[in-house]
Amino acid sequence: MRALQTATLLVATLGAGLMAGLFTAFAYAVMPGLGRCDDRTFVQAMRNINRAIVNGWFLLAFLLPMPLLVLATVLARNGPGRVALPWILAALVLYLAGFLVTGGVNVPLNNALDKAPAGEGPAAPAAPGDPGGRSGGSRAAREGFEGRWVTWNLVRALAHTAAFGALGWALFLHGTAGAAGTAGT
C-alpha cells in the first residue's frame, strides 16, 4: 500500500509540475512574446498553438493528476501517509481550480478565437501612435481574447504551481512518515 501511495504521489506531482511549468511559461514568455506581434500574426499563432496543444502528451499530463490526486487522498486517509493528507487535499483543490479555469475560461476563449474572423492578407501597417501594428484585420478577435486569456492563464498558472508545491510538501511528509515508521523496526 505504501509503494502505491508513493507512486501515486510521485506521478501526480510530476503531472502538476508539468502543467505549472507550461502555464507559467505562457505567462512569462509566450504571451509577452506574442504580445509584440501584429494582430494577424498574434491570432494565427494562438490558433496554431491551441490546435497543436490538444495532443496525447498534453492530455495525459493535464488529465492524469486528477484521478491520481483522488486516489492519493483515499490512500493517505486509509494508509500510513495520513500526515500528508491535508497537503494532498490542498493540492487536489488547487489543481481542480486550475483545471476548471482551463475548461471554463481558457478553452472557450480558444474556441471563440478559432471561429473569429481574422482578416486576410498582410497585416495592416502600424498606425501613428501604434508601434505594434495593431490596426490589422484581426484586431477585434485579439481584443476579445488576449486580456482575458492572459489574466485567467495567470490564475491557472498560480493554482497549478501552488498544487505542485503542496504535492512536493506532501511527498516530503510522506517520506518522513515512512522513515519514522521504519526507524523503529
Side-chain angles (χ1 to χ4, degrees):
M1 171 100 103
R2 182 154 176 78
L4 177 60
Q5 187 177 12
T6 301
T8 301
L9 278 172
L10 280 170
V11 176
T13 302
L14 178 62
L18 288 170
M19 290 300 95
L22 175 68
F23 297 140
T24 302
F26 265 86
Y28 66 72
V30 176
M31 296 310 290
L34 289 177
R36 296 176 180 175
C37 295
D38 63 75
D39 296 325
R40 189 178 58 81
T41 303
F42 175 90
V43 169
Q44 191 58 49
M46 281 305 301
R47 285 177 173 174
N48 289 337
I49 290 168
N50 293 335
R51 290 174 187 149
I53 201 165
V54 181
N55 64 64
W57 292 110
F58 169 78
L59 293 172
L60 180 67
F62 182 60
L63 297 174
L64 188 59
M66 289 300 297
L68 290 177
L69 286 167
V70 171
L71 178 59
T73 300
V74 170
L75 292 172
R77 186 172 177 264
N78 299 323
R82 193 162 176 82
V83 66
L85 182 60
W87 295 97
I88 297 168
L89 285 170
L92 176 60
V93 168
L94 290 162
Y95 197 90
L96 181 60
F99 187 89
L100 291 174
V101 166
T102 299
V105 181
N106 293 91
V107 169
L109 285 169
N110 293 345
N111 293 339
L113 183 69
D114 197 50
K115 293 176 181 139
E120 299 295 326
D130 183 13
R134 295 179 182 216
S135 55
S138 300
R139 183 177 195 137
R142 182 179 186 164
E143 286 177 352
F145 175 85
E146 187 175 17
R148 283 190 65 212
W149 196 95
V150 166
T151 298
W152 285 102
N153 179 67
L154 183 58
V155 170
R156 69 183 177 169
L158 292 171
H160 284 283
T161 301
F164 178 62
L167 282 169
W169 189 246
L171 271 171
F172 173 77
L173 293 174
H174 173 74
T176 58
T182 58
T185 54

